[in-house]
Amino acid sequence: MNAAEHLAELVKFPTQQAGADGKAGNELAICEYLVTALKKHGPDEITIGTAPRSEGGDGAYVFARWGLPKRVINAHVDTVPANAGWSRDPWQPHVEHGRLYGLGSADTKGAIAATLVALEGKRRPKDVGVLFSGDEEAGSGVMHAFLSSSHIAGIREVLVCEPTARVAGVAHRGVLAQTASLKGPGGHSSKADVLPKPLAQLARLAVAIDDLGKRRLHDGPAGMTGTCLNIADLRGGVAFNVIPAHGVLEWSLRPYPNFDRASWDADVLALAAGVDPGISIATTLDHVPFACDTLAEFARPFVRSIGPLDFWTEAALWMTAGIDAIVIGPGDISQAHAADEFVELADLEWATSMFRAFLRL
């Protein structure tokens, strides 16, 4: 089978994270299918692992090794829910004008298909592995489970597959989401002149945090300055004539590599205390930034450019585990998560050659 044929089969497996309809795909089913595909290449060991998805349900991964892996290709099997606007069934692959359409074709089942073909190299794989893992689109519960296992012993370098438009990603921002909460007695709005108003206090904090982000617009490395501070939500109201008894403010930022998290948290706590000592701060999401250029020379012959990406990847988790990584794969991030997602067939061929070189096949 060529890469397009492999990809067509992979698209048919619904592996989406649960959307508004509550329907999640089956990661274990596609992993079991991939076991059969990987066995044809004679690995020394194939392991299927399961772990809870971050947002509920069962997640899975399949890991195959030849010898004791030093290099690993990693691509994720899960997808986002199908976006509105698809002109065809998202799980029925369709080839037209040199493109294969289907949910996950770019993000990142195309990379899985190219990996399967790359393993058909002239030489038997040696001291390498492939990991096809789930839950990437939600909270990385499966990856955390894999990285806490004994499988990572000896792994030194990882190619993390994402649709990068033939750019080698050697850095990207993290994602940090935080909330501020404040309680009060609540009451009738006729008493608003004398009773505490949590939403008003949190609104003051929102402006102060937004100003904090503006003061940091020029912080960070070249090409990644600023924090992308976003005031996302202020909630707690009941009705126009009710003073809310509880309010929640939510914001996010995208920290650059070597971001001083301790300084940020100290500044936010000081701002909150200055507005109202009763405000409590919590972190709801903490994806660390990523930076690693040790594999840049490997990628140079294959890519258009080498530099930072503008989206988060699980390369940051590999880096945190002390393993070098690079982010690259077939497709374009502009197609990911969009209706009528596609990958260029030429990109699959390009990725196959690059993956062979990475695995030294």
Side-chain angles (χ1 to χ4, degrees):
M1 294 173 68
N2 60 34
E5 291 168 334
H6 276 299
L7 178 54
E9 293 303 312
L10 296 173
V11 165
K12 294 176 185 177
F13 284 87
T15 55
Q16 75 279 6
Q17 297 288 335
D21 60 4
K23 294 180 180 179
N26 189 334
E27 294 179 3
L28 184 57
I30 195 172
C31 288
E32 290 172 339
Y33 170 85
L34 287 167
V35 166
T36 301
L38 288 165
K39 280 184 177 178
K40 297 177 182 178
H41 305 294
D44 294 309
E45 181 183 16
I46 301 180
T47 301
I48 282 186
T50 59
R53 280 179 164 180
S54 303
E55 297 183 354
D58 297 323
Y61 66 81
V62 56
F63 177 64
R65 66 169 182 87
W66 292 259
L68 300 176
K70 296 180 177 64
R71 283 189 164 187
V72 167
I73 291 179
N74 172 215
H76 62 87
V77 301
D78 62 316
T79 74
V80 294
N83 206 341
W86 276 82
S87 62
R88 51 178 61 87
D89 186 333
W91 294 281
Q92 287 301 313
H94 175 77
V95 176
E96 185 176 356
H97 303 307
R99 298 171 172 175
L100 191 150
Y101 292 83
L103 183 59
S105 56
D107 190 17
T108 59
K109 292 180 177 180
I112 297 174
T115 300
L116 293 175
V117 178
L119 289 168
E120 300 172 0
K122 297 178 181 179
R123 292 175 289 182
R124 185 180 186 276
K126 180 181 179 181
D127 293 338
V128 298
V130 296
L131 171 67
F132 302 138
S133 50
D135 197 41
E136 191 272 348
E137 298 289 4
S140 301
V142 171
M143 182 57 70
H144 284 295
F146 179 81
L147 291 175
S148 65
S149 74
S150 61
H151 296 303
I152 69 168
I155 298 175
R156 296 291 176 263
E157 299 173 334
V158 177
L159 192 156
V160 176
C161 299
E162 291 290 346
T164 61
R166 303 198 186 189
V167 173
V170 294
H172 61 63
R173 295 177 180 271
V175 185
L176 179 64
Q178 297 180 303
T179 61
S181 301
L182 181 61
K183 295 181 179 180
H188 196 283
S189 62
S190 65
K191 304 298 183 181
D193 289 343
V194 296
L195 288 178
K197 292 174 282 190
L199 292 191
Q201 295 293 74
L202 291 174
R204 293 183 176 93
L205 178 60
V207 173
I209 291 175
D210 188 60
D211 288 341
L212 177 61
K214 291 177 180 177
R215 291 196 294 273
R216 292 175 175 242
L217 285 176
H218 302 293
D219 293 357
M224 301 180 75
T225 55
T227 62
C228 304
L229 190 282
N230 176 46
I231 301 299
D233 193 17
L234 178 59
R235 58 188 179 271
V238 178
F240 76 93
N241 56 356
V242 176
I243 303 170
H246 184 226
V248 178
L249 169 68
E250 184 174 19
W251 65 91
S252 69
L253 59 152
R254 292 184 176 264
Y256 45 78
N258 297 317
F259 177 75
D260 189 344
R261 171 67 185 281
S263 172
W264 171 264
D265 285 347
D267 286 348
V268 169
L269 287 172
L271 290 174
V275 171
D276 193 310
I279 293 175
S280 61
I281 306 296
T283 296
T284 57
L285 181 68
D286 187 5
H287 284 336
V288 298
F290 161 72
C292 180
D293 60 5
T294 60
L295 294 175
E297 288 307 310
F298 146 75
R300 196 174 299 279
F302 298 96
V303 300
R304 296 188 177 109
S305 63
I306 297 172
L309 302 173
D310 59 3
F311 55 92
W312 189 84
T313 79
E314 288 184 335
L317 303 182
W318 289 100
M319 180 198 71
T320 302
I323 298 169
D324 292 338
I326 194 168
V327 184
I328 189 169
D332 191 316
I333 197 64
S334 63
Q335 294 302 319
H337 304 190
D340 291 340
E341 178 183 352
F342 68 84
V343 65
E344 301 279 353
L345 299 184
D347 250 21
L348 297 178
E349 295 178 7
W350 160 81
T352 298
S353 297
M354 180 179 58
F355 293 170
R356 279 196 181 119
F358 181 76
L359 296 175
R360 300 187 179 101
L361 300 179

